Amino acid sequence: MAHTYSHLYHLPTTGLRFFTVYGPWGRPDMALFSFTKAILEGKPIDVFNYGKMRRDFTYIDDAVDGIVRALDHIPEPNQNWAEYAPDPSSSSAPYRIYNIGNRQPVELLHFIEILEAALGTTAKKNFLPLQAGDVLETYADVEELCHDVGFNPRTPVEVGIPQFVKWYQTYYNASPSSYPQQQDANQSLHHSVEVVKV
């Protein structure tokens, strides 16, 4: 629809395709958010395809940088666009589509290891088969965005995940040691009940 308006009314339009954006104020249903919550509560996390997956995780600061740069770049018609060999990212209309990603796919298990290190505890992992409709790997080709606006993602997961964990613990007042203490208390209570029963 956006391309149609660009074509009919010469309205400059830019589309942005985001790849697994994470960070503070992120969506609670995304892996990093839900994993962090579950690990702190001592609950298992679901690891699909037994962890043999790769995702192009993009830190929020890099995503915002890409958006701001794209805002200042008004798309123009691609004079070399041809119907017999179309370029899906551009058009004869003032229209562009860009990927916004980190261009560095990361193994899911490595992602979890970094999270465990940041939280100071080990996750209970529930290994499961690949979900129907899921993909094994994502990769953001950001060459055109880099070329057109100088986009250059700078935040690897080794930096972004600890920054998210710091925000999460502050915002939710959640401490890595809070659950183990509660778990020990529960175990003591459980043992006390057993002793009383005996």
Side-chain angles (χ1 to χ4, degrees), residues 5 12 30 38 70 74 76 82 94 100 113 121-122 126 138 146 178-179 185 191 194 198:
Y5 272 79
M30 295 293 280
I74 307 302
E76 298 180 355
I100 292 186
E113 288 172 356
T121 187
T122 302
N126 183 25
T138 61
C146 293
S178 60
Y179 174 75
H191 291 320
E194 288 183 340
V198 171

Side-chain angles (χ1 to χ4, degrees), residues 20-169:
T20 319
V21 178
Y22 72 98
W25 302 101
R27 283 168 42 193
D29 62 313
M30 295 293 280
L32 181 57
F33 208 110
S34 61
F35 283 0
T36 300
K37 183 176 185 294
I39 292 171
L40 287 175
E41 293 177 352
K43 298 177 181 178
I45 61 174
D46 290 338
V47 183
F48 291 100
N49 202 42
Y50 310 100
K52 299 176 182 178
M53 305 172 71
R54 289 162 58 89
R55 289 291 181 270
D56 200 339
F57 295 101
T58 310
Y59 192 64
I60 183 62
D61 288 6
D62 291 328
V64 171
D65 178 62
I67 295 170
V68 173
R69 289 175 181 272
L71 281 172
D72 295 332
H73 182 75
I74 307 302
E76 298 180 355
N78 181 358
Q79 302 299 331
N80 297 321
W81 195 89
E83 293 183 359
Y84 57 84
D87 174 6
S89 67
S90 67
S91 170
S92 57
Y95 175 85
R96 287 292 183 278
I97 293 181
Y98 294 115
N99 293 329
I100 292 186
N102 200 43
R103 64 183 174 188
Q104 294 182 0
V106 175
E107 291 280 353
L108 179 56
L109 288 180
H110 180 57
F111 182 84
I112 295 172
E113 288 172 356
I114 298 171
L115 177 58
E116 290 174 326
L119 290 171
T121 187
T122 302
K124 299 176 182 178
K125 304 175 187 70
N126 183 25
F127 290 101
L128 298 169
L130 185 69
Q131 293 185 99
D134 208 348
V135 296
L136 295 178
E137 181 173 352
T138 61
Y139 171 76
D141 182 351
V142 297
E143 181 178 351
E144 291 192 8
L145 190 61
C146 293
H147 176 270
D148 290 351
V149 302
F151 177 65
N152 183 28
R154 303 174 182 274
T155 313
V157 291
E158 289 80 5
V159 174
I161 291 177
Q163 289 180 350
F164 168 81
V165 168
K166 181 179 180 181
W167 168 83
Y168 186 98
Q169 291 174 341

